[in-house]
Amino acid sequence: MVWRVSPAHKRLQARMDQMRKFRRQHEQLRTVIVRVLRPALSQASVATVAKPDEDANGKQVALGLVIVDGTDTHAIEEVNLAYENVKEVDGLDISKEGTEAWDAAVKRYEERIDRVETQITARLRDQLGTAKNANEMFRIFSRFNALFIRPHIRGAIREYQTQLIQRVKEDIETLHEKFKVGFPQSKACQLSSVRDIPPVSGFIIWAKQIERQLTAYMHRVEDVLGKGWENHVEGQKLKEDGDSFRSKLNTQEVFEDWARKVQQRNLGVGGRIYAIDSQRSPLGKGTVLKLKVNFLPEIITLSKEVRNLKWLGFRVPLAIVNKAHQANQLYPFAISLIESVRTYVRTCEKVEERHSITLLVAGLKRDVQYQIAEIGRASCRERV
């Protein structure tokens, strides 16, 4: 035998659960409306601004401009009055008369809230209709998107949502095409070269800029569709595309590949100061020997890469940091010596073009060669 127990307090418990749910929904709605509408002043919504102007005599006078947003204040008051109607009813009265009074109060509350939503919807559509461009529409949606949980408001602006979501799709597609072109062919690569940013760091900065733009576009989707946009039909597709695109912008793999290649290469700053480079003669007769400083351009690039990558927040391996530190210590001397050797070589070429002055500068040329040789011998003695 099964005993059916019907506790006397069951109906009261159900009513209290209903009241708790009602109160929670009301507070959520009231908080959202107050935050979204943002009246100029919390009570009167009145602000006085002193604006300088000129009278007939050309003197500046102060004009008191009163800014009153009656629509905002009225909407907030309507929400508060709607709740006052419910407060007048004894919610704990579960008799037939009490239940009817409660249902009637909730119905009056919903009617008032519907009027408020109608006012907000009309104002929202007016602002969207007078917006000059898509960016203004996005700003309007970003202000009102907290109210999109209300079906009445969400349904009224659906046509604008479709238009702006299409705009976001186009922006993301343009961003994707920009990424497909690649960093070497982009204007950012030229700008990085002008600003003395090495290739790997330049690519990472470029990729992070694209990722920030993608994040901004995803925020626009949330502004248009509201909270929980990932569950929206259009939002799901955009989220999948955005996540797929974001995975291609992962710069950690680029950094690890660079670190692995640097460690595999034997980039050092030791050895002789000078090196002899064999080049084809400009006249096409055999080869000529050129003096150069034994300081590879890759060492200079490595030093710049380490500095920029550490600034970007990457953990550069200690072995690479040590190499860059040694290069930084020798860098100013190496650059100075490279420029001096380049000047010497160019001067010798100009002297060779004018044979009449060769004997006149022979002594000066010998002195320069002596200085170059002395630096080379000094480096050899230090190595020994």
Side-chain angles (χ1 to χ4, degrees):
M1 180 181 294
V2 179
W3 294 89
R4 294 184 179 275
V5 180
S6 180
H9 68 279
K10 195 68 176 177
R11 293 175 58 193
L12 180 59
Q13 183 180 0
R15 173 65 60 80
M16 293 181 67
D17 292 339
Q18 186 180 7
M19 292 170 61
R20 186 182 300 109
K21 181 181 178 181
F22 173 83
R23 176 62 184 271
R24 186 182 301 113
Q25 291 177 346
H26 168 76
E27 281 300 319
Q28 180 184 11
L29 176 63
R30 190 187 67 82
T31 303
V32 168
I33 288 180
V34 170
R35 186 176 74 247
V36 168
L37 297 184
R38 292 198 303 269
L41 293 176
S42 59
Q43 299 297 328
S45 300
V46 178
T48 303
V49 180
K51 180 181 177 182
D53 199 352
E54 292 184 359
D55 59 7
N57 298 323
K59 298 180 180 180
Q60 286 194 345
V61 296
L63 297 179
L65 299 181
V66 180
I67 302 173
V68 180
D69 198 341
T71 306
D72 292 350
T73 308
H74 181 67
I76 297 171
E77 289 178 353
E78 279 291 317
V79 173
N80 293 331
L81 290 175
Y83 186 70
E84 291 295 329
N85 291 334
V86 181
K87 286 173 61 176
E88 295 175 356
V89 179
D90 184 5
L92 300 181
D93 185 359
I94 56 176
S95 63
K96 181 179 179 180
E97 293 78 7
T99 303
E100 291 176 353
W102 169 259
D103 293 340
V106 171
K107 185 177 180 180
R108 290 194 301 271
Y109 171 85
E110 292 176 349
E111 289 175 352
R112 284 211 169 196
I113 294 299
D114 286 341
R115 288 198 295 270
V116 173
E117 290 183 356
T118 302
Q119 295 173 4
I120 294 175
T121 301
R123 179 179 178 185
L124 177 57
R125 288 183 63 87
D126 287 344
Q127 291 188 14
L128 291 172
T130 56
K132 297 179 181 179
N133 50 48
N135 289 332
E136 286 191 13
M137 286 188 178
F138 281 120
R139 284 195 292 270
I140 294 169
F141 268 92
S142 126
R143 179 183 176 188
F144 286 90
N145 70 341
L147 291 171
F148 294 167
I149 57 174
R150 308 296 296 184
H152 183 69
I153 298 177
R154 186 170 61 246
I157 46 89
R158 193 175 302 278
E159 59 181 288
Y160 294 101
Q161 285 180 321
T162 304
Q163 176 183 347
L164 292 180
I165 287 297
Q166 184 61 34
R167 172 65 182 271
V168 173
K169 287 181 180 179
E170 294 173 358
D171 289 341
I172 293 177
E173 184 62 28
T174 303
L175 203 61
H176 205 175
E177 292 298 326
K178 177 182 176 181
F179 179 75
K180 286 181 180 179
V181 171
F183 175 69
Q185 287 73 37
S186 66
K187 292 182 179 180
C189 182
Q190 301 175 8
L191 188 60
S192 296
S193 177
V194 170
R195 293 184 174 180
D196 199 25
I197 299 176
V200 176
S201 298
F203 173 82
I204 291 176
I205 294 172
W206 175 71
K208 285 184 176 294
Q209 288 176 342
I210 294 179
E211 186 176 10
R212 283 195 294 269
Q213 287 179 324
L214 178 62
T215 302
Y217 292 151
M218 291 296 104
H219 281 313
R220 283 187 169 185
V221 177
E222 181 177 350
D223 291 341
V224 174
L225 298 179
K227 295 290 185 180
W229 62 273
E230 302 91 344
N231 302 321
H232 194 276
V233 177
E234 294 288 346
Q236 288 178 353
K237 183 66 169 60
L238 281 171
K239 181 172 174 56
E240 291 175 2
D241 294 343
D243 291 344
S244 175
F245 187 16
R246 198 182 300 276
S247 64
K248 298 177 183 177
L249 298 171
N250 184 11
T251 56
Q252 184 65 31
E253 296 178 0
V254 177
F255 167 74
E256 292 175 355
D257 181 63
W258 169 82
R260 183 172 58 254
K261 289 180 179 179
V262 170
Q263 290 176 331
Q264 289 174 354
R265 296 187 61 184
N266 185 21
L267 292 177
V269 292
R272 298 179 181 273
I273 291 181
Y274 297 115
I276 304 298
D277 188 17
S278 178
Q279 298 179 355
R280 183 178 296 275
S281 174
L283 302 176
K285 298 178 180 179
T287 59
V288 294
L289 301 179
K290 294 289 185 179
L291 178 68
K292 69 175 187 178
V293 179
N294 188 22
F295 196 78
L296 298 176
E298 289 82 357
I299 294 293
I300 301 175
T301 304
L302 174 65
S303 174
K304 296 176 182 177
E305 291 282 16
V306 170
R307 181 177 67 248
N308 284 278
L309 290 172
K310 289 175 69 175
W311 174 75
L312 289 169
F314 289 93
R315 296 176 61 88
V316 183
L318 184 59
I320 299 178
V321 173
N322 290 336
K323 289 182 180 180
H325 180 66
Q326 293 175 2
N328 284 333
Q329 289 181 323
L330 298 177
Y331 178 78
F333 307 105
I335 293 300
S336 176
L337 192 57
I338 289 172
E339 291 299 324
S340 299
V341 170
R342 183 183 293 117
T343 302
Y344 166 72
V345 172
R346 289 180 178 176
T347 304
C348 289
E349 291 175 352
K350 290 184 178 294
V351 169
E352 290 175 359
E353 294 174 357
R354 302 178 62 181
H355 299 285
S356 60
I357 64 172
T358 302
L359 295 177
L360 295 176
V361 298
L364 297 175
K365 183 176 180 180
R366 185 187 60 222
D367 293 341
V368 174
Q369 290 175 343
Y370 176 79
Q371 292 293 334
I372 294 174
E374 185 63 27
I375 294 174
R377 286 193 294 268
S379 69
C380 292
R381 287 195 296 268
E382 289 179 0
R383 292 180 60 197
V384 173

